[in-house]
Amino acid sequence: MNFRRKLFAVFALTVILSVASVAFLVSALTRRDFARNEDERSASLMAQFQREFDAQGKEIARRLVAITASDAAAHMAAALDHSSTGSAGFFDLAKSMAENYQLDFLEFIDSNGTIVSSAQWPAKFGYPDTAFADLARLAGQPAFLKQEELQDSSALGMFAVSTAQVTDHPLYAIGGRRLDKTLLATLDLPAGTRVLLYQNRLDTATADSLIDSYSHDALKPPGAADKLTPLIHATREAGRGMTSIVHWSSDTADDEMFHAIPLQGKVNAQPLLGILLIGNSRRPYVELERRIRTSALLVGGGGILLAILVSSWAAARVTRPVERLAHAAHEVAVGNWNTRVEVEGTDELSQLADSFNRMTTELLTQKERLVQAERVAAWRELARRLAHELKNPLFPLQLTVENLLRARQNSPEQFDEVFCESSTTLLAEISNLKAIIGRFSEFSKMPQPQLQPTNINEVLRGIAQLFHVQLQAPAGKPIECILDLADNLKTIAADPELLHRALSNLVLNAMDAMPEGGTLTLRSHQSDDGVQIEVADTGSGLTPEECGRIFTPYYTSKQHGTGLGLAIVQSVVSDHQGTINVHSEPGQGTTFVIELPKNPELSQTVGAQ
């Protein structure tokens, strides 16, 4: 990716992240405010519901007090106190009084807990009331919720209890009104809000009976009460308020946030008698969120367009000097150390170009000094090595000549015998001198590669075949040779003879490093730029210091080595425009890695020849 594209990517990414962050923040704040608003509306409606419940409860209690204070109630209490057989005459009294005082439920219960008269279920006359144990405690208390069993169903209502204490035996009156849409209709509902009431029926739990639709709006779509069933069941199980989003359709704007508030009872061990469901439409929030998203997309698109224009202008302003610097750096990298960059202006890029020019000048000066220092060091090292190598055979030569002279002077009769022995020594040492001079001469006259299409796998197979006998020599411990060659390895332009010679030196070094046997691995890989060759052994390994000096000419860790083997290998690899590296640790073996390029230009030259 060039600088122009990177600059555009930076501008575009900055715009996108900024717009996305702002949109996310606005959405989060909007979501929080809507949630808080929904909670406040639900709390307000619950407070309204409680106020209406208390107001109607007080009205019910007032009417029950009036009923128990009536002459009919006093007459009933007196009659029941004197005779238990006369209660049949009051069979219809509760019904008529409930109609007069506009109550949906009314029952009279004597001091023994027996129902004397029932308005909602006359057939209960003479039966004991299951809630009698709570009546004395609830008498005179605020209204409470109670589930009333009817002849064919049950109903949820607001009840109160009053006592007619005409005689020593009290008469209880328990009555109330249904808790239905009449009460819910008195609530002041904000736009987009509705209230539903669920009665926790004991006789059925089907989906159709879960919801009593006491609200200004019927459930939409019809039959969608099943969608509220999970929330109701969760509230019933938890016994506390729950919140859930109900999805009415695939359009999220139709969703509603429902708050389920349990309604507790005080009679008949029925702690949960109903659930008040307050639904708030999420359409305003969804539509606002969609507008925020649309605005963010529009702003982001405009920002990207602006980023294109700004990045184009900035790239035109910055890219050209940077491209000139990049081109000059490439020229320096390939060896053109005299490259200079034209300096225009006084801004940071101009200062950078001026610093580049001064850097290349200094590098050129340092290079010349380094070359001179290396040349002097190389000659000194060569002189030291030559002196060391030549000193060893010269000393025996000197001794031999001196022995000849002494034999000639002191023992003429034994001269011939000494002469024969000395001649043999002289010839051997002269041969040694010639060998030393030949190795140095060979290193100084390394031939240039004769490039031709070469298959590296074939070169490695030839080396393995050449050293097969030596690797399996019975005199020492055998060395296993493993060939790990890449399939379909492409040919490269190389000199197979020089590569064979260089790789043979690496194999000989590996064998010397494994006197107790081991594993020699010859491996080839296809790389993007050419071929990779590895020569690995499991020998004694090298120290970091040895790895850093191992390719230095005349450096050797062997007792009788010349230090030219790996220098020759590096020279061959360098002549092929390749690289060689060593990876080793003491006791972990050594791996030489050679990278040889395809040399396409050289391949074309070879093909032309």
Side-chain angles (χ1 to χ4, degrees):
M1 183 183 293
N2 58 28
F3 181 77
R4 188 185 301 269
R5 293 179 179 176
K6 289 182 179 179
L7 196 61
F8 166 71
V10 169
F11 278 116
L13 187 61
T14 302
V15 171
I16 292 173
L17 290 178
S18 301
V19 173
S21 299
V22 172
F24 175 79
L25 180 61
V26 172
S27 298
L29 293 176
T30 303
R31 188 184 307 111
R32 187 192 65 180
D33 290 342
F34 267 88
R36 182 172 57 193
N37 186 36
E38 289 173 351
D39 293 340
E40 291 175 353
R41 283 192 293 180
S42 298
S44 175
L45 283 175
M46 188 60 192
Q48 284 190 58
F49 177 82
Q50 189 64 47
R51 287 195 298 271
E52 291 296 329
F53 184 90
D54 293 341
Q56 293 198 20
K58 290 179 180 178
E59 179 63 22
I60 292 171
R62 187 186 64 78
R63 295 187 184 191
L64 281 175
V65 170
I67 289 174
T68 54
S70 64
D71 293 338
H75 178 68
M76 179 188 295
L80 293 175
D81 185 57
H82 291 85
S83 174
S84 60
T85 58
S87 60
F90 305 107
F91 182 81
D92 293 328
L93 180 61
K95 184 175 182 180
S96 62
M97 296 193 74
E99 292 175 352
N100 292 336
Y101 285 90
Q102 297 180 353
L103 297 177
D104 297 320
F105 310 107
L106 179 63
E107 288 182 344
F108 290 103
I109 302 173
D110 64 15
S111 59
N112 297 320
T114 303
I115 298 175
V116 178
S117 181
S118 175
Q120 60 269 22
W121 192 355
K124 291 171 66 178
F125 165 76
Y127 285 89
D129 184 81
T130 57
F132 176 72
D134 297 316
L135 293 182
R137 177 175 58 86
L138 295 174
Q141 298 294 321
F144 56 88
L145 283 177
K146 178 177 177 296
Q147 184 167 278
E148 182 67 19
E149 296 297 324
L150 304 178
Q151 187 171 359
D152 55 355
S153 64
S154 63
L156 184 63
M158 296 179 291
F159 287 83
V161 179
S162 182
T163 306
Q165 192 71 39
V166 178
T167 64
D168 294 336
H169 300 89
L171 175 67
Y172 296 100
I174 177 171
R177 290 178 176 174
R178 290 179 181 271
L179 184 62
D180 56 13
K181 58 186 177 183
T182 304
L183 174 62
L184 300 183
T186 62
L187 301 178
D188 183 15
L189 299 180
T193 302
R194 58 176 172 169
V195 179
L196 307 175
L197 181 65
Y198 160 73
Q199 178 182 346
N200 190 17
R201 300 181 187 274
L202 302 179
D203 56 345
T204 179
T206 61
D208 293 338
S209 63
L210 287 176
I211 301 298
D212 287 335
S213 180
Y214 303 153
S215 65
H216 294 325
D217 299 323
L219 283 176
K220 301 176 182 179
D226 291 340
K227 294 183 179 294
L228 291 170
T229 303
L231 175 59
I232 292 172
H233 282 316
T235 306
R236 291 174 63 182
E237 293 293 330
R240 56 181 176 83
M242 304 289 286
T243 303
S244 177
I245 296 177
V246 177
H247 307 283
W248 299 113
S249 67
S250 58
D251 185 3
T252 55
D254 293 333
D255 294 350
E256 282 186 274
M257 174 68 77
F258 272 92
H259 296 264
I261 303 168
L263 303 177
Q264 307 293 337
K266 296 182 179 180
V267 182
N268 293 338
Q270 298 176 10
L272 181 64
L273 298 181
I275 298 175
L276 188 67
L277 298 167
I278 301 175
N280 295 293
S281 174
R282 290 176 59 83
R283 181 174 294 277
Y285 167 70
V286 172
E287 290 179 349
L288 179 59
E289 190 177 44
R290 288 174 178 172
R291 288 195 293 270
I292 292 173
R293 189 181 302 114
T294 302
S295 301
L297 291 175
L298 292 175
V299 173
I304 292 176
L305 181 61
L306 180 62
I308 294 175
L309 298 176
V310 173
S311 63
S312 299
W313 175 82
R317 182 82 174 177
V318 177
T319 301
R320 292 190 186 94
V322 172
E323 287 178 347
R324 287 198 294 265
L325 281 170
H327 177 72
H330 175 73
E331 290 294 320
V332 171
V334 298
N336 185 7
W337 293 57
N338 293 312
T339 303
R340 293 292 181 272
V341 179
E342 183 179 355
V343 179
E344 297 178 354
T346 58
D347 56 8
E348 289 81 0
L349 289 175
S350 300
Q351 296 175 8
L352 178 61
D354 182 65
S355 298
F356 179 85
N357 292 336
R358 286 188 281 107
M359 179 192 69
T360 54
T361 301
E362 183 65 24
L363 285 175
L364 188 61
T365 303
Q366 293 294 335
K367 178 185 177 183
E368 293 175 354
R369 294 174 182 172
L370 182 61
V371 168
Q372 293 177 4
E374 288 180 347
R375 186 181 298 117
V376 172
W379 278 110
R380 288 177 178 174
E381 180 65 18
L382 178 59
R384 188 187 68 79
R385 293 296 301 179
L386 280 174
H388 177 74
E389 294 291 337
L390 295 178
K391 184 186 296 182
N392 291 333
L394 285 176
F395 183 69
L397 287 175
Q398 180 182 355
L399 290 179
T400 302
V401 174
E402 291 176 351
N403 287 336
L404 283 174
L405 292 175
R406 282 196 297 269
R408 178 67 176 172
Q409 294 174 0
N410 300 329
S411 303
E413 66 280 359
Q414 297 178 357
F415 178 76
D416 292 337
E417 181 182 353
V418 175
F419 180 77
C420 291
E421 294 177 359
S422 299
S423 298
T424 303
T425 302
L426 288 172
L427 291 175
E429 294 302 329
I430 291 173
S431 177
N432 189 16
L433 281 173
K434 291 175 64 178
I436 293 172
I437 295 172
R439 286 196 298 270
F440 281 93
S441 176
E442 180 183 13
F443 177 67
S444 65
K445 296 179 180 179
M446 285 295 298
Q448 289 299 313
Q450 301 298 316
L451 300 179
Q452 56 183 289
T454 303
N455 189 314
I456 297 300
N457 284 347
E458 294 299 327
V459 176
L460 293 175
R461 290 191 186 98
I463 292 172
Q465 184 65 31
L466 175 65
F467 289 96
H468 176 72
V469 176
Q470 290 178 260
L471 294 172
Q472 303 299 326
K477 294 186 179 180
I479 296 175
E480 180 184 5
C481 181
I482 297 177
L483 285 175
D484 183 10
L485 307 179
D487 297 332
N488 302 322
L489 195 66
K490 297 180 180 179
T491 61
I492 62 172
D495 188 327
E497 296 298 329
L498 287 179
L499 288 181
H500 189 281
R501 179 177 174 184
L503 294 173
S504 296
N505 277 335
L506 294 180
V507 170
L508 288 173
N509 283 345
M511 292 170 61
D512 290 341
M514 297 184 288
E516 300 299 325
T519 302
L520 171 67
T521 303
L522 303 179
R523 185 178 291 113
S524 64
H525 297 285
Q526 185 73 55
S527 62
D528 295 337
D529 298 328
V531 175
Q532 185 181 86
I533 305 170
E534 293 183 13
V535 179
D537 63 64
T538 58
S540 56
L542 301 170
T543 64
E545 181 183 1
E546 290 174 330
C547 291
R549 300 182 58 191
I550 196 169
F551 296 109
T552 304
Y554 319 119
Y555 172 79
T556 180
S557 59
K558 299 178 184 179
Q559 184 177 1
H560 301 290
T562 62
L564 296 177
L566 290 178
I568 291 173
V569 173
Q570 188 181 46
S571 176
V572 171
V573 173
S574 178
D575 288 342
H576 282 79
Q577 300 181 5
T579 59
I580 181 170
N581 295 288
V582 60
H583 306 287
S584 181
E585 292 183 10
Q588 301 296 323
T590 303
T591 300
F592 287 90
V593 181
I594 299 175
E595 293 276 356
L596 295 178
K598 298 176 182 178
N599 289 326
E601 300 85 358
L602 299 178
S603 299
Q604 295 174 1
T605 304
V606 171
Q609 293 175 353

